[in-house]
């Protein structure tokens, strides 16, 4: 058996419960960055999260007031807790999406909540590669860091280490294995932890389940609504004396209107922070019928975006998982113009200047025969932030161009999930 075929066999055994959404190719190693690039990615991710939190809390300390300002679905309002609790845990779990360009890192969005994807995958991939790569490369354990952070949160609020992990175990998101990873790690950290599907939570209570004092919710409430689901089980998590970590209003920091406002340059930004935003955040604006400054020229936003659609991406401000995202470069002009007009009318969309990924050098192996190929792959990096600190990095890259790979869309074989590492020094 060749080395790559052995590697493929080992990886398939390691991921026997879950599979990798990467057929017909598997990675032959983690994506390796230079220490300079990797450390810059971590530091910039942490700083951007702090700035976005400030942007949102400048609106108001009250989650309902922020909700109204951001134009969110009013069906979400019953999910908010006491403002002090919402504030304390607002940004304890996050993951940005960053692209390496000719100008360095560009952050196209920030995902904030306990439902952000990738933590379990990064944990598993890091553990798989740990004994197969140079000891000079830094490998971290995001699930262990999360459990330690949650233990500190329990102490902070004088709660016992008893937690319900509530996820979408049916047809919206992942199978239960993904959540079980987190439950197992919580138990290793000394928690009494139980996995319950949000769809089954009310029945679980009726059947005698004692509500835990701490709740980690691994679902996006807006996704439930978009799928036609009832929010009553989610509301039932908010019994007095319980703390939902992270709170539902954490997703305010994810809202793309917050990124647009930061990109615009609010008055409270210090000069160094303004330089940081200019350097790391692509031009992003809330869509409205009015003037904007673009490349030192003031003009109508609608005219600009419609006339130069190849430059821009339209995004619904509360969208997730790639939903409600439209690239001007791949959209017919007439359709694009209608999309822009509808976005103006809705008042809840942003437009962002498109950024282009440098090809990242990666090696992949044919999952059948183990034959290796080296490619330069467009990639999206996602550092996992636990308690505001980077703890491992997800990377998704495209294998289009290799035999059997398909054009990049959501959830197709051409998208390969891996982790990124770099030297510790």
């Amino acid at each position: 058996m060749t080395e790559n075929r052995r590697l493929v066999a080992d990886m398939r055994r390691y991921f026997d419960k879950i599979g990798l959404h990467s057929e017909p190719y598997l990675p032959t190693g983690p994506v390796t960055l230079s220490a300079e690039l990797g450390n810059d990615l971590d530091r910039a991710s942490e700083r951007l999260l702090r700035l976005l939190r400030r942007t949102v809390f400048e609106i108001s300390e009250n989650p309902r007031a922020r909700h109204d300002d951001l134009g969110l679905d009013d069906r979400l309002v019953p999910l908010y807790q006491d403002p002090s609790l919402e504030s304390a845990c607002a940004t304890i779990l996050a993951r940005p999406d960053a692209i390496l360009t000719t100008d360095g890192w560009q952050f196209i969005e920030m995902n904030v909540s306990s439902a952000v994807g990738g933590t379990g995958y990064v944990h598993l991939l890091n553990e798989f590669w740990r004994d197969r790569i140079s000891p000079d490369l830094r490998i971290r354990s995001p699930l262990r860091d999360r459990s330690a952070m949650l233990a500190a949160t329990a102490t902070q609020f004088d709660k016992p280490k008893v937690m319900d992990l509530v996820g979408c175990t049916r047809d919206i998101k992942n199978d239960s294995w993904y959540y079980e990873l987190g439950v197992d790690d919580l138990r290793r950290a000394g928690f009494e932890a139980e996995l319950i599907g949000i769809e089954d939570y009310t029945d679980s209570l009726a059947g005698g389940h004692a509500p835990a004092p701490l709740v980690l919710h691994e679902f996006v409430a807006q996704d439930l609504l978009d799928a036609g689901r009832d929010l009553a089980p989610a509301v039932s998590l908010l019994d007095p004396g319980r703390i939902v970590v992270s709170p539902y209003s954490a997703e305010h920091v994810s809202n793309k209107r917050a990124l647009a406002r930061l990109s615009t340059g609010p008055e409270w930004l210090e000069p160094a922070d303004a330089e940081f935003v200019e350097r790391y955040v692509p031009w992003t604006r809330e869509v409205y019928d009015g003037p904007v400054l673009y490349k030192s020229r003031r003009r109508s936003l609608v005219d600009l975006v419609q006339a130069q659609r190849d430059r821009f991406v339209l995004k619904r401000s509360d969208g997730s998982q790639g939903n409600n995202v439209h690239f001007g470069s791949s959209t017919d002009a007439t359709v694009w113009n209608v999309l822009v007009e509808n976005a103006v009318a809705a008042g809840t969309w942003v437009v962002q200047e498109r950024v282009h990924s440098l090809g990242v050098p990666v090696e992949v192996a044919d999952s059948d025969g183990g034959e290796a190929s080296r490619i330069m792959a467009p990639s999206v990096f996602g550092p996992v932030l636990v308690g505001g600190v980077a703890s491992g990095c997800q990377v998704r890259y495209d294998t289009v161009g290799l035999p059997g790979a398909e054009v990049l869309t959501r959830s197709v074989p051409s998208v390969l999930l891996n982790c990124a590492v770099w030297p510790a020094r």
Side-chain angles (χ1 to χ4, degrees), residues 162-166 192-194 196 201-215 236-237 239 242:
V162 181
M163 174 167 278
D164 286 339
L165 192 155
V166 183
E192 294 179 28
E194 185 170 348
I196 305 175
Y201 196 75
T202 303
D203 290 343
S204 176
L205 294 176
H209 172 71
L214 297 170
V215 177
S236 71
L237 300 176
D239 289 343
R242 308 182 76 193

Side-chain angles (χ1 to χ4, degrees), residues 120-276:
Y121 281 114
V122 172
H123 178 85
L124 287 171
L125 285 159
N126 280 354
E127 294 306 306
F128 182 80
W129 299 124
R130 187 181 295 277
D131 297 327
R132 294 173 169 84
I133 61 175
S134 167
D136 294 335
L137 297 172
R138 180 172 53 185
I139 291 282
R140 290 172 289 194
S141 299
L143 281 182
R144 293 174 196 167
D145 289 343
R146 187 180 76 171
S147 294
M149 181 270 295
L150 292 172
T153 301
T155 300
Q156 176 186 355
F157 290 103
D158 195 26
K159 298 290 184 182
K161 292 169 66 175
V162 181
M163 174 167 278
D164 286 339
L165 192 155
V166 183
C168 292
T169 55
R170 292 186 189 168
D171 54 15
I172 290 184
K173 200 176 180 184
N174 298 296
D175 294 328
S176 63
W177 70 264
Y178 190 86
Y179 306 111
E180 289 166 356
L181 285 173
V183 169
D184 290 346
D185 201 83
L186 284 167
R187 290 171 177 166
R188 283 192 291 269
F191 278 84
E192 294 179 28
E194 185 170 348
L195 169 65
I196 305 175
I198 185 60
E199 309 88 346
D200 307 315
Y201 196 75
T202 303
D203 290 343
S204 176
L205 294 176
H209 172 71
L214 297 170
V215 177
L216 187 71
H217 75 94
E218 293 209 357
F219 59 87
V220 177
Q222 187 62 53
D223 287 351
L224 292 175
L225 291 176
D226 291 346
R229 298 297 178 89
D230 186 1
L231 284 188
V235 175
S236 71
L237 300 176
L238 300 173
D239 289 343
R242 308 182 76 193
I243 297 176
V244 175
V245 185
S246 62
Y248 297 103
S249 69
E251 293 167 24
H252 296 172
V253 187
S254 295
N255 193 281
K256 297 170 185 65
R257 295 178 75 181
L259 188 69
R261 294 179 189 186
L262 183 62
S263 172
T264 303
E267 292 183 357
W268 53 263
L269 271 186
E270 298 291 337
D273 289 332
E275 291 178 9
F276 169 85

